[in-house]
């Protein structure tokens, strides 16, 4: 359940949800940035 919720929150970012970047390195960087943003938002509460 926790993993599913995490993926749902990551899909809120357009580039991650649509796989806008075709290169694996750029896609991974997008996922890392989106995860970092979500983590920082959560830790600010």
């Amino acid at each position: 359940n926790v993993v599913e919720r995490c993926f749902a929150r990551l899909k809120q970012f357009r580039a991650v949800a649509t796989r806008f970047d075709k290169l694996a390195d750029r896609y991974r960087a997008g996922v890392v940035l989106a995860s970092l943003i979500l983590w920082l938002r959560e830790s600010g509460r």
Side-chain angles (χ1 to χ4, degrees), residues 6-24:
C6 179
F7 278 114
R9 290 174 63 183
L10 281 174
K11 286 183 180 181
Q12 292 175 354
F13 292 89
R14 182 177 172 262
V16 174
T18 60
R19 180 101 194 229
F20 188 73
D21 294 315
K22 298 301 178 192
L23 298 177

Side-chain angles (χ1 to χ4, degrees), residues 22-39:
K22 298 301 178 192
L23 298 177
D25 290 339
R26 290 185 185 170
Y27 180 73
R28 184 174 185 270
V31 171
V32 169
L33 283 174
S35 300
L36 180 63
I37 290 169
L38 289 174
W39 180 64

